[in-house]
């Protein structure tokens, strides 16, 4: 009995036996002499009375029994839709609508049911970090970018960033900041042309399919509504931009077509490159928003099976 046939002479022997021998019931030589054992000792297969598999371990037997029982009695996590919420829920904030489509199931749990999952506590590093990674790196780059777009070169902020403890010590921290500043400067040069002619924020209130959608559009420029982030663009970024583009289009109407630009990084050939995506004029923006609000209402009563990243991958394959 072997769990893995990695031994070369054994593989050769089985191949030879398979050429001229078969069991009385037609089984091959490999099937007759090889037993594939389950990975875990508490697998239910160990206790089903199979001729070649057996175990005398009481604790493993109990664990296998629990596995079978648990599969049989697991209750439905959401057996049926909730009752429709009060009419006040039909007054929807634009930010809430964007947040809903970013993760409908999470929105249902936190906003409708009031279930707040505990956040993992911040882990204290046991050794001093020599790099800037993850969320800390993203936040620092974004801070530097916003200040650069307001006319302050990143190099002027080095002392302030170091004093705040956001960099590794010594020359390593200086070099890390230089790399960040280079990335910020390159991104800002290609982005700032889209941000010319910044406009004052616009308040909106739209009546759509029995809903009232209200909010604020605060990324408007002379040429378009612009969203930018110095990070890889995710499907959530496009969803937010699309919903706000529809709101801007519905507010302006067909006589004043609007555009929205999403700027960020995309991965190509193992490198993050600057990219810009454009949403053009939409004739039936109000109708599409009304449909999205209908999905939002459904998502307040039951989990909406919408997974942005997986949906985008699927759409790309079609």
């Amino acid at each position: 009995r072997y769990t893995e046939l990695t031994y070369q002479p054994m593989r050769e022997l089985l191949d030879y036996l398979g050429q001229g021998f078969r069991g009385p019931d037609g089984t091959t030589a490999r099937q007759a002499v090889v037993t594939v054992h389950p990975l875990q000792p508490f697998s239910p297969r160990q206790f089903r009375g199979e001729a070649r598999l057996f175990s005398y371990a009481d604790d493993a037997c109990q664990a296998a029994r629990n596995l079978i029982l648990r599969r049989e009695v697991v209750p439905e996590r959401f057996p049926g839709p909730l009752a429709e919420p009060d009419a006040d829920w039909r007054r929807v904030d634009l930010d809430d609508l964007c947040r809903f489509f970013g993760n409908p199931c999470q929105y249902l749990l936190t906003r409708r049911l009031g279930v707040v999952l505990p956040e993992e506590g911040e882990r204290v590093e046991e050794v001093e970090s020599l790099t800037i990674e993850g969320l800390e790196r993203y936040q620092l780059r974004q801070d530097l970018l916003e200040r650069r777009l307001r006319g302050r070169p990143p190099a002027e902020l080095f002392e302030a960033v170091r004093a705040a403890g956001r960099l590794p010590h010594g020359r390593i921290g200086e070099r890390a900041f230089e790399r960040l500043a280079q990335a910020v400067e390159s991104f800002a040069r290609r982005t700032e042309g889209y941000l010319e002619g910044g406009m004052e924020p616009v308040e909106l209130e739209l009546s759509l399919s029995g809903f009232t959608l209200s909010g604020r559009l605060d990324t408007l420029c002379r040429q378009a509504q612009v969203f930018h982030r110095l990070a890889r663009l995710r499907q959530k970024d496009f969803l937010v931009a699309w919903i706000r583009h529809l709101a801007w289009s519905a507010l302006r109407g067909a006589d004043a077509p609007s555009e929205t630009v999403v700027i960020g990084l995309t991965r190509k050939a193992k490198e993050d490159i600057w990219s810009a995506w454009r949403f053009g004029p939409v004739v039936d923006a109000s109708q599409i928003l009304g449909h999205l609000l209908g999905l939002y209402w459904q998502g307040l009563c039951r989990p909406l099976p919408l997974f942005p990243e997986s949906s985008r991958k699927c759409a790309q394959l079609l």
Side-chain angles (χ1 to χ4, degrees):
R1 298 177 181 178
Y2 298 88
T3 54
E4 293 185 12
L5 301 178
T6 56
Y7 187 46
Q8 181 66 24
M10 179 58 62
R11 290 201 303 269
E12 294 177 353
L13 175 60
L14 288 173
D15 291 341
Y16 174 76
L17 292 175
Q19 295 175 7
F21 296 92
R22 283 193 174 273
D25 55 352
T27 57
T28 65
R30 183 181 296 266
Q31 293 172 333
V33 301
V34 175
T35 300
V36 179
H37 291 268
L39 180 63
Q40 303 293 349
F42 49 80
S43 169
R45 287 183 57 204
Q46 294 283 126
F47 306 95
R48 288 176 178 166
E50 297 182 21
R52 297 180 182 177
L53 294 176
F54 57 89
S55 173
Y56 301 105
D58 290 339
D59 54 346
C61 181
Q62 183 60 44
R65 185 180 293 111
N66 290 339
L67 283 175
I68 297 173
L69 292 175
R70 188 176 300 130
R71 290 171 184 168
E72 294 175 352
V73 300
V74 170
E76 295 185 50
R77 288 174 171 79
F78 218 93
L82 302 173
E84 290 192 355
D86 297 336
D88 293 342
W89 287 80
R90 288 189 172 273
R91 187 171 184 86
V92 185
D93 182 78
L94 182 60
D95 289 335
D96 280 343
L97 186 63
C98 295
R99 194 173 296 114
F100 168 82
F101 279 100
N103 193 328
C105 295
Q106 183 185 60
Y107 190 93
L108 172 64
L109 286 176
T110 57
R111 297 300 299 273
R112 181 79 199 280
L113 299 178
V115 177
V116 180
L117 301 178
E119 297 183 0
E120 183 178 355
E122 184 176 354
R123 184 167 60 93
V124 178
E125 297 291 342
E126 297 181 359
V127 296
E128 182 179 353
S129 176
L130 300 180
T131 59
I132 309 173
E133 300 294 341
L135 181 60
E136 183 179 2
R137 178 171 177 264
Y138 166 73
Q139 291 175 338
L140 183 53
R141 289 206 306 184
Q142 203 65 21
D143 289 346
L144 293 176
L145 176 62
E146 294 303 324
R147 298 187 187 193
R148 165 62 179 81
L149 293 174
R150 291 197 296 267
R152 296 195 63 185
E156 295 181 3
L157 303 172
F158 171 69
E159 292 299 336
V161 172
R162 182 169 64 176
R166 303 178 70 179
L167 296 174
H169 290 292
R171 180 56 184 165
I172 295 177
E174 295 177 13
R175 182 57 184 150
F177 186 87
E178 289 173 3
R179 289 195 293 267
L180 288 177
Q182 291 172 2
V184 167
E185 185 63 30
S186 175
F187 189 91
R189 287 180 179 176
R190 303 194 65 177
T191 303
E192 55 191 356
Y194 290 86
L195 303 176
E196 295 177 352
M199 299 170 55
E200 293 294 325
V202 173
E203 303 290 337
L204 67 87
E205 184 164 326
L206 303 170
S207 296
L208 304 161
S209 304
F211 294 88
T212 299
L213 180 65
S214 60
R216 191 184 197 194
L217 302 173
D218 52 8
T219 60
L220 302 176
C221 300
R222 182 173 61 242
Q223 297 180 353
Q225 182 177 207
V226 182
F227 299 94
H228 64 273
R229 62 193 301 260
L230 183 47
R232 294 182 194 174
L233 293 172
R234 304 168 301 173
Q235 186 56 29
K236 289 182 180 180
D237 300 318
F238 293 108
L239 275 174
V240 170
W242 172 241
I243 293 172
R244 288 184 168 270
H245 177 64
L246 291 174
W248 180 226
S249 300
L251 183 65
R252 298 189 70 183
D255 296 334
S258 58
E259 295 185 352
T260 295
V261 177
V262 184
I263 302 173
L265 303 178
T266 55
R267 190 74 169 174
K268 291 184 179 180
K270 298 183 180 181
E271 183 181 1
D272 291 335
I273 64 172
W274 182 95
S275 301
W277 301 75
R278 170 183 168 273
F279 293 120
V282 181
V283 177
D284 52 349
S286 296
Q287 182 179 350
I288 298 174
L289 270 177
H291 176 66
L292 294 180
L293 287 166
L295 293 175
Y296 161 82
W297 193 255
Q298 294 180 32
L300 293 177
C301 301
R302 60 179 178 83
L304 196 67
L306 173 63
F307 307 96
E309 297 296 337
S310 301
S311 299
R312 184 186 183 192
K313 294 294 184 181
C314 181
Q316 290 173 340
L317 294 175
L318 297 178

